[in-house]
Amino acid sequence: MTTTIREYRGPVEPLEPALSVRQVLALERVLAGEPEVVAGAAQLDRPVRWVHVAEAADVGVMLSGGEMVLTTGVLLAGDENAQAEYIRSLHRAEAAAVVLGLGRAFPSPPDTMRRAAERCGLPMVVLHRPFPFAELTEEVQSRLVRRKFAAVSLSEAVRTALTGLITTGAPLQHLLDEIAHHTGCPVVVTNIAHRVLATAGERSAVDDVLRDWERIARQAGGSEGDGWIRAELGGRGERWGQIMLCGYRGDTAGGRLLADRAAEALVLHRMLGGATAHSWEEQSTQGLLTDLVSGVVAARQLLPRARAAGLPVNRRTFVPLVVRDGDCAQLERMLRLLGMAGLVAELADGATAVLLSLARDQDADALTAHFAARLRTESGESGTVVAAAAPRAAWDDVPAGLREAQHVADAVADSCAVLDLPAVVRLRDVHLRGLIRLLRDDPHVQAFAERELDGLLSAAGEDLLAVLRTYLATGRNKSRTAQLHHVSRPALYRRLEAIQGRLGVDLDDFEQAASVHIALLAHDAQQA
């Protein structure tokens, strides 16, 4: 299976974070009023959702949170209880800050209000110079409206781009690449158990996230913050995963809007494509094991992905296996039944890879044999063969182990019907067949095979070639060969004579028979 990876184009500049109290105080128009923070200085990074001018003593009941309240305090002068309650009401309403213009009502910062604001952690700012509140509200409101419009515009652009990809049948990875492009940060999709199903974004940034995924997953149910924004994936009352923006640098509200748009697109993609969260897990595991087998990506770089996929990797023994014509669902069910940790994925040419992760004190060979025996029993196929590489104690050695297991599986692919193979086949069990498999693409080997078998390579010689294959694979056992081909002994003798005549060899001569056998192994390996 070939997966096309969309080129990462770099991030779109994210929306700037929402205006904070600190940023409002730094505006040129505000600086003209000579602002002074007299309380709540540690809370100046609170976001300002709106600016509200109010003189009413009970202004708190009119607020919905996030407002910067501007007042001259004219109705509070001379009443310390009212001043304290005014601050407390703003705190209860979750106001962002209060700005008091000094003048006839309060020529200097009132201690009662200052102390109450400090206790509540509410930023309190006084303006020492007369200042038209209308100018501040106009400045801030226009900025906030522009930002709101930009957020909506970006959200719609993302929706349009993702919908376009879905309607053209783009794979999941393309959607995630588009999301990462617009958010400018790593994107991670997980199942409800927080196992990573897919990722997108700049490779080094994604690796940094996955390297610390165990801690992140433990905190996944907590509150959002520092640019970590989540959106649930699900529908019809069922939640089956989540998408997470990891370290989004823009406005939290804008990031949440983007995450929601991304979630909508992923749910739609799953519905229209008939995909399931489980199939996404299969794709993720398949990509990981395929990258390990190919060796294109260094094993150490794939370690965070393996850990995030739920594979135990610390102080473990790894056993690479390849099962020919194996069923992924059956193999995963077998792992669960036996309580064994591992990853399962379908590779090319009908092979299924299984990477077992065992504790160091466990007997890897015994457990592998037990796994193969149970698989053979459960499947009801006595010919089911599990190709295994030697156990690996180091993660860096896993790619070579997977390639070894795949090589063993390929070497026995065409011989299971005539060879008495153990349930677990290892490199030592494939002997010459394994060597020929490695050399099959050598031009000299190919020429040798054609030269030795020339008399049987035509369509008319196919039946004789099959008899020759069985005869040599059974160690030149005539009785067994006749039995497997359902012919009498005299009929077999006639066919063997025809084979010898066409090839010009004497199959009773060991060296000539060995030469023909090697040529036939090379021919079969090339055909496979």
Side-chain angles (χ1 to χ4, degrees):
M1 178 178 176
T2 302
T3 302
T4 303
I5 302 297
R6 200 175 189 198
E7 181 182 358
Y8 183 66
R9 300 168 291 168
V12 171
E13 193 65 28
L15 294 174
E16 295 180 3
L19 280 175
S20 65
V21 175
R22 189 188 308 278
Q23 289 173 315
V24 172
L25 297 180
L27 295 176
E28 186 175 348
R29 290 186 178 182
V30 180
L31 290 175
E34 297 183 6
E36 178 189 359
V37 179
V38 296
Q43 303 296 323
L44 293 182
D45 290 321
R46 285 182 173 182
V48 175
R49 188 182 61 82
W50 207 243
V51 176
H52 190 65
V53 180
E55 298 294 351
D58 60 348
V59 65
V61 300
M62 308 175 190
L63 307 180
S64 57
E67 294 90 352
M68 174 179 277
V69 177
L70 311 181
T71 183
T72 61
V74 66
L75 300 180
L76 302 174
D79 188 341
E80 292 186 352
N81 290 333
Q83 295 169 20
E85 177 56 27
Y86 182 81
I87 295 296
R88 288 193 294 266
S89 68
L90 293 181
H91 171 64
R92 288 192 298 269
E94 298 182 348
V98 59
V99 178
L100 175 66
L102 300 181
R104 284 177 296 178
F106 292 103
S108 61
D111 286 340
T112 300
M113 294 181 69
R114 182 185 58 77
R115 287 194 299 268
E118 194 64 53
R119 285 194 299 269
C120 293
L122 175 71
M124 178 176 173
V125 181
V126 297
L127 300 175
H128 289 277
R129 293 176 61 88
F131 182 82
F133 286 167
E135 291 186 8
L136 175 58
T137 56
E138 179 184 4
E139 174 81 12
V140 175
Q141 313 300 41
S142 63
R143 286 174 179 261
L144 291 174
V145 169
R146 287 199 301 270
R147 299 162 79 82
K148 186 70 173 178
F149 177 79
V152 173
S153 178
L154 177 58
S155 170
E156 289 307 307
V158 171
R159 187 204 295 270
T160 300
L162 295 179
T163 302
L165 288 173
I166 292 172
T167 54
T168 58
L172 171 66
Q173 189 62 51
H174 283 199
L175 268 68
L176 296 181
D177 288 341
E178 189 71 27
I179 295 166
H181 169 65
H182 284 283
T183 60
C185 68
V187 176
V188 176
V189 176
T190 72
N191 62 11
I192 57 175
H194 306 301
R195 284 185 63 174
V196 174
L197 305 181
T199 62
E202 187 179 356
R203 189 72 262 166
S204 60
V206 171
D207 287 344
D208 287 342
V209 170
L210 296 185
R211 196 170 291 114
D212 200 27
W213 187 253
E214 290 181 1
R215 179 188 63 81
I216 294 171
R218 286 196 299 270
Q219 299 175 351
S223 59
E224 297 176 345
D226 297 326
W228 296 83
I229 301 172
R230 297 182 304 278
E232 301 296 336
L233 301 176
R236 299 179 180 177
E238 178 190 10
R239 185 175 69 88
W240 43 266
Q242 69 176 3
I243 181 171
M244 181 180 292
L245 310 185
C246 305
Y248 180 70
R249 294 182 292 109
D251 173 31
T252 299
R256 191 171 293 113
L257 196 58
L258 292 177
D260 289 341
R261 292 291 174 266
E264 291 170 3
L266 295 186
V267 171
L268 181 61
H269 178 271
R270 179 189 176 192
M271 291 173 57
L272 295 181
T276 64
H278 182 67
S279 69
W280 285 2
E281 289 187 50
E282 290 177 345
Q283 292 176 33
S284 175
T285 305
Q286 183 183 51
L288 172 60
L289 292 183
T290 300
D291 286 345
L292 280 169
V293 171
S294 69
V296 173
V297 183
R300 188 156 297 278
Q301 291 180 303
L302 297 172
L303 185 59
R305 286 172 58 186
R307 183 183 289 112
L311 185 73
V313 295
N314 295 331
R315 298 186 59 78
R316 307 289 287 188
T317 297
F318 304 99
V319 183
L321 309 175
V322 171
V323 181
R324 271 288 170 186
D325 301 318
D327 179 77
C328 284
Q330 180 189 30
L331 292 169
E332 288 176 348
R333 188 168 57 252
M334 188 62 58
L335 289 179
R336 290 193 298 269
L337 181 66
L338 299 176
M340 301 171 71
L343 298 178
V344 179
E346 184 179 347
L347 302 178
D349 302 325
T352 302
V354 181
L355 179 60
L356 300 180
S357 175
L358 309 175
R360 289 283 174 86
D361 59 354
Q362 291 180 298
D363 188 331
D365 289 342
L367 285 174
T368 302
H370 183 51
F371 173 80
R374 288 294 299 270
L375 178 62
R376 178 175 288 188
T377 301
E378 293 289 331
S379 65
E381 298 287 340
S382 59
T384 300
V385 176
V386 176
R392 262 58 180 178
W395 174 259
D396 288 345
D397 296 332
V398 168
L402 283 168
R403 288 192 290 272
E404 179 183 316
Q406 189 172 35
H407 164 62
V408 173
D410 290 342
V412 301
D414 302 318
S415 56
C416 294
V418 294
L419 295 182
D420 185 16
L421 294 169
V424 180
V425 186
R426 303 184 186 277
L427 194 59
R428 62 176 176 266
D429 299 315
V430 296
H431 306 296
L432 179 62
R433 190 178 299 273
L435 176 63
I436 295 300
R437 188 82 186 188
L438 290 175
L439 300 176
R440 64 178 177 172
D441 293 327
D442 188 293
H444 298 292
V445 174
Q446 294 173 355
F448 169 75
E450 291 183 7
R451 184 169 62 250
E452 289 289 301
L453 302 175
D454 182 56
L456 299 178
L457 295 181
S458 64
E462 286 183 0
D463 291 340
L464 294 178
L465 194 65
V467 171
L468 176 63
R469 182 180 294 109
T470 304
Y471 179 63
L472 295 174
T474 57
R476 295 185 292 175
N477 187 320
K478 294 183 176 65
S479 297
R480 179 64 174 153
T481 302
Q483 180 184 19
L484 290 172
H485 283 273
H486 308 290
V487 298
S488 65
R489 290 284 292 269
L492 175 65
Y493 293 156
R494 289 193 296 272
R495 295 185 185 187
L496 290 177
E497 289 175 1
I499 291 170
Q500 293 179 111
R502 289 197 179 198
L503 298 182
V505 299
D506 179 5
L507 293 178
D508 290 330
D509 181 88
F510 176 78
E511 184 174 340
Q512 294 183 55
S515 180
V516 172
H517 194 187
I518 292 171
L520 186 57
L521 291 176
H523 169 75
D524 289 345
Q526 291 159 15
Q527 296 303 307

